[in-house]
Amino acid sequence: MNWKRALSRYLLIDLFKGLRVTFKQQNPGEIITEQYPKVRPIVSERFRGAPRLNLDPETGESLCIACNLCAVVCPENCIEVGWENREVVASGRQAQKRKVLTTFIFDTSRCLFCNLCAEVCPTYCLELTQDFELAAYTRKDFVWDREMLEHGREIRKYRK
Amino acid sequence: MTRLLVLGAPDWFYNLVTKFIAVGRGPVDYLIWPLLQIAVVLFIIATLVAYLVYAERKISALIQARLGPMRVGPWGLLQPLADLVKLISKEDIVPDKADRTIFPLAPMISVVAAFTSLAVLPFGPTWLHIADVNIGLLFVFAFSSLGVLGIIMAGWSSNSKYPLLGGLRSSAQMVSYEVGMGLAIVGALVFTGTLSMVGVIDGQIRSGVWNAFYQPLGFFIFFICGLAETNRTPFDLPEGETEIVGGFHTEYSGFRWSLFFLSEYTGMLIVSAVATTLYLGGWHLPFVTSRIDPNASPFLYSIVGLITFAGKVTVLIYVFMWFRWTFPRYRYDQLMDLGWKWLTPAALANIVLTGIVYVGIKYGLHLKFAGANDGFIGPANIKAKLVTILVMFAVATPVVLGFVAFLNRRTATWDIAEQRRRQIVARTERRARIAGLKV
């Protein structure tokens, strides 16, 4: 053992180094804990959470054209699109027969959040959002209908 | 003059009592005042211990970049209360094969031993300590060693392997570290010349130098042994969560377990208070307490003294917690090594060197100023004090270190890198020898 090493051992240099590290760590500014229910965490940009059916911001109507592509591409078969052929009068046009969306059922308990449905959607209607609180009390509550998909789930605010 | 065990009530308290009930000085001095003091001290210490747990959780959280308890009350300040409710309402389990008399007795002994020491702690000057026993330090040491009896009894009576191992470890640890601790304080006592806690502080105040300056090594050894004595990390082998589950309190639950907890934290408080008394000048704060005249304004002096004492104890307790979240636990043989081969010889060498320095300088003083026999307690020559401090730091400490290093020259080193290096050297030599034989 050389002298330098022996001296540093007898003066407990290593122990003091360790103490210095832990002392410097005690900086309240460097805390990484998230106060989750109080403060909502910022999830990753690429996070895929609760599904949503987007509405046309101008007219307020659904962007969905009931093409059924999402239901076809879904590997879990958790999407069910219902439509009917109906006479639709668009503004300034003649009445014409079109596919119109009636129901949209999305089973979040079976969904694997692969994002294929959102990618395949031609009108950017279906989208997986950043919302991650998907828990429910019954199996039935996991099955989201069109209303819930369009307006989103009610987010509970925690005061405490 | 014999010293009274109970100090008697201060005048303001006596006047206050006589306003309501007509009693003589006797009952107030020996019954009402001490009982009131005991109640106040017990209440404060119990609350303090609960908040020490909170402080420990917060400090550990900060060290690990967490927040710690935050949900009960603002900043989790009511967490101790919630813990208390939880602990009291938990089921009290006694194992089937446990010894039914000793099992409940063990935590009680631990707590009683811890709380009894509080009687002689000098929390503050004049009326702020309960009793000034002339063997105060001995008393504290006696009761802190009694605390381990509770741990051993818990280990034995649980009738389970882990508590038994914890109890065994605790007794071995106690025996090895009590020696070092007892020897370490001798150096400080040489300078103060009394075992009374108040006397020790008075000596330091009169000389104006804290014993930590005269006894840097003694303070160090005392502090390390104090860590071991209170079963704190790096010496928490009796608990040893990773090896022996919970150690001696594996089988305890609910309130009985919390009694052990209480005694552990009270023990920490006591060791810090004793270290403050012995080495850090107790309630002496330079430039502040010396300006307040104790006779002219006793109340102010007492309160300032109490705050000073509490501050010093808080700093030491913080160091305790800081150590806990920095150092990993010692292995059992390392613990024994450290106690017997390093700390005990170092404490012994420290006593010898302290004695030599003390006698030498005192004799020198005597030659220079005839009658300066009060040595270091009185306001002796400041130059002599400075020389003593210098000698203690610059000569005595390296000599003791060298002596201990010499003693341990053949002890296996704990340095793993060093061990590895030696292994490689040995292996190369062996290979060379074998190769040599073949040729």
Side-chain angles (χ1 to χ4, degrees):
Chain A
M1 203 193 295
N2 59 25
W3 277 106
K4 226 173 166 184
R5 210 175 156 71
L7 199 67
S8 84
R9 269 192 72 206
Y10 282 108
L11 297 178
L12 309 174
I13 300 293
D14 294 344
L15 298 192
F16 286 115
K17 271 184 188 165
L19 284 173
R20 191 165 143 258
V21 168
T22 43
F23 188 76
K24 276 167 87 182
Q25 271 291 312
Q26 294 175 54
N27 179 4
E30 279 178 16
I31 284 162
I32 54 166
T33 311
E34 282 171 347
Q35 291 284 82
Y36 162 51
K38 255 188 197 170
V39 184
R40 292 187 70 78
I42 300 161
V43 292
S44 153
E45 246 179 73
R46 297 174 56 198
F47 184 84
R48 302 193 289 262
R52 182 175 65 196
L53 283 179
N54 291 328
L55 302 175
D56 192 332
E58 285 167 17
T59 55
E61 281 169 20
S62 180
L63 283 171
C64 184
I65 50 168
C67 63
N68 205 25
L69 275 176
C70 47
V72 170
V73 81
C74 182
E76 292 287 325
N77 289 332
C78 64
I79 301 175
E80 211 181 304
V81 185
W83 67 84
E84 59 181 19
N85 290 320
R86 206 199 288 160
E87 291 268 323
V88 178
V89 186
S91 54
R93 281 201 193 172
Q94 271 190 331
Q96 56 178 185
K97 240 182 176 181
R98 268 168 73 175
K99 239 179 169 183
V100 176
L101 182 73
T102 50
T103 56
F104 198 104
I105 291 165
F106 195 109
D107 190 348
T108 55
S109 70
R110 275 162 63 192
C111 178
L112 57 83
F113 303 101
C114 62
N115 209 30
L116 283 179
C117 51
E119 274 172 25
V120 85
C121 185
T123 57
Y124 303 106
C125 175
L126 189 60
E127 192 186 350
L128 295 183
T129 59
Q130 307 254 307
D131 184 16
F132 54 87
E133 289 167 328
L134 293 168
Y137 285 104
T138 58
R139 275 169 190 271
K140 229 163 100 187
D141 291 348
F142 283 113
V143 183
W144 290 20
D145 56 7
R146 188 181 167 186
E147 175 76 6
M148 202 155 163
L149 285 165
E150 279 176 353
H151 299 293
R153 204 175 49 89
E154 185 193 349
I155 292 172
R156 263 179 76 190
K157 287 264 190 282
Y158 291 90
R159 289 251 179 76
K160 244 195 96 120
Chain B
M1 197 187 96
T2 50
R3 255 198 146 133
L4 284 176
L5 258 171
V6 177
L7 296 166
D11 290 333
W12 61 265
F13 182 75
Y14 180 67
N15 295 336
L16 193 77
V17 171
T18 42
K19 259 182 205 168
F20 298 104
I21 28 170
V23 278
R25 192 78 212 195
V28 177
D29 272 359
Y30 291 100
L31 200 67
I32 302 175
W33 175 247
L35 280 179
L36 186 79
Q37 270 185 318
I38 289 166
V40 168
V41 165
L42 272 189
F43 177 75
I44 290 177
I45 295 293
T47 321
L48 212 61
V49 164
Y51 275 91
L52 278 186
V53 179
Y54 172 78
E56 172 121 52
R57 288 176 68 178
K58 277 287 183 198
I59 288 170
S60 75
L62 282 174
I63 287 177
Q64 297 166 353
R66 295 183 288 117
L67 276 167
M70 287 293 281
R71 304 311 302 273
V72 192
W75 285 88
L77 273 170
L78 296 178
Q79 186 70 39
L81 207 69
D83 284 347
L84 186 76
V85 171
K86 185 204 79 173
L87 283 169
I88 288 176
S89 57
K90 262 177 111 168
E91 189 189 350
D92 181 27
I93 301 165
V94 180
D96 201 27
K97 295 273 171 62
D99 189 319
R100 270 165 202 278
T101 23
I102 302 181
F103 190 80
L105 206 63
M108 287 183 214
I109 286 180
S110 276
V111 165
V112 167
F115 276 178
T116 316
S117 312
L118 295 174
V120 293
L121 290 189
F123 297 106
T126 58
W127 44 270
L128 273 168
H129 43 267
I130 299 176
D132 178 19
V133 191
N134 54 8
I135 52 150
L137 269 170
L138 200 62
F139 185 87
V140 170
F141 273 70
F143 274 95
S144 64
S145 351
L146 195 66
V148 80
L149 185 66
I151 292 176
I152 297 169
M153 280 165 72
W156 174 254
S157 66
S158 296
N159 212 345
S160 157
K161 57 188 166 189
Y162 297 123
L164 186 61
L165 281 171
L168 284 174
R169 283 176 172 201
S170 185
S171 51
Q173 184 174 320
M174 184 56 66
V175 168
S176 5
Y177 281 81
E178 191 93 322
V179 177
M181 202 177 190
L183 291 174
I185 64 162
V186 174
L189 295 178
V190 163
F191 286 97
T192 46
T194 173
L195 272 169
S196 150
M197 305 279 263
V198 179
V200 169
I201 295 176
D202 276 345
Q204 290 176 72
I205 290 174
R206 265 187 286 146
S207 84
V209 180
W210 295 355
N211 279 337
F213 294 106
Y214 287 147
Q215 286 289 308
L217 208 70
F219 182 43
F220 183 72
I221 297 168
F222 179 85
F223 194 76
I224 306 261
C225 291
L227 280 173
E229 184 105 347
T230 47
N231 298 333
R232 298 283 301 177
T233 328
F235 305 102
D236 64 339
L237 282 109
E239 278 177 48
E241 271 174 12
T242 43
E243 305 141 29
I244 48 172
V245 195
F248 60 91
H249 56 55
T250 306
E251 305 289 352
Y252 283 86
S253 61
F255 196 66
R256 287 197 183 125
W257 178 82
S258 69
L259 285 183
F260 275 123
F261 219 61
L262 191 67
S263 70
E264 189 192 320
Y265 278 86
T266 315
M268 200 162 88
L269 210 73
I270 288 164
V271 168
S272 302
V274 172
T276 308
T277 310
L278 261 178
Y279 293 101
L280 299 179
W283 57 74
H284 176 237
L285 191 65
F287 314 116
V288 178
T289 43
S290 48
R291 293 207 180 152
I292 305 168
D293 184 12
N295 296 318
S297 48
F299 197 80
L300 182 70
Y301 184 70
S302 305
I303 295 299
V304 171
L306 178 70
I307 292 169
T308 312
F309 191 82
K312 287 174 185 175
V313 170
T314 313
V315 169
L316 281 182
I317 285 179
Y318 171 74
V319 175
F320 265 83
M321 292 178 176
W322 181 18
F323 274 28
R324 172 160 180 191
W325 297 100
T326 306
F327 299 134
R329 189 180 306 129
Y330 275 112
R331 211 170 54 207
Y332 189 69
D333 59 324
Q334 293 176 341
L335 179 95
M336 289 289 127
D337 258 21
L338 188 66
W340 289 111
K341 291 184 180 171
W342 295 86
L343 292 181
T344 309
L348 275 170
N350 186 43
I351 293 174
V352 173
L353 282 173
T354 308
I356 291 169
V357 170
Y358 183 79
V359 170
I361 288 179
K362 202 176 164 186
Y363 187 64
L365 275 182
H366 188 71
L367 284 184
K368 213 169 170 191
F369 315 94
N373 252 341
D374 57 349
F376 296 91
I377 290 206
N381 193 352
I382 191 134
K383 219 181 197 172
K385 281 174 184 164
L386 284 178
V387 168
T388 317
I389 292 171
L390 199 71
V391 168
M392 274 303 174
F393 268 93
V395 182
T397 309
V399 166
V400 172
L401 272 180
F403 169 68
V404 183
F406 174 73
L407 274 189
N408 288 290
R409 64 195 182 281
R410 298 222 177 110
T411 305
T413 172
W414 302 348
D415 189 340
I416 291 174
E418 177 65 22
Q419 281 176 11
R420 182 84 188 132
R421 226 170 288 134
R422 282 187 193 179
Q423 250 177 17
I424 291 169
V425 169
R427 195 167 60 201
T428 341
E429 278 174 4
R430 202 168 57 236
R431 278 184 185 162
R433 207 168 53 235
I434 292 167
L437 280 176
K438 269 182 186 168
V439 170

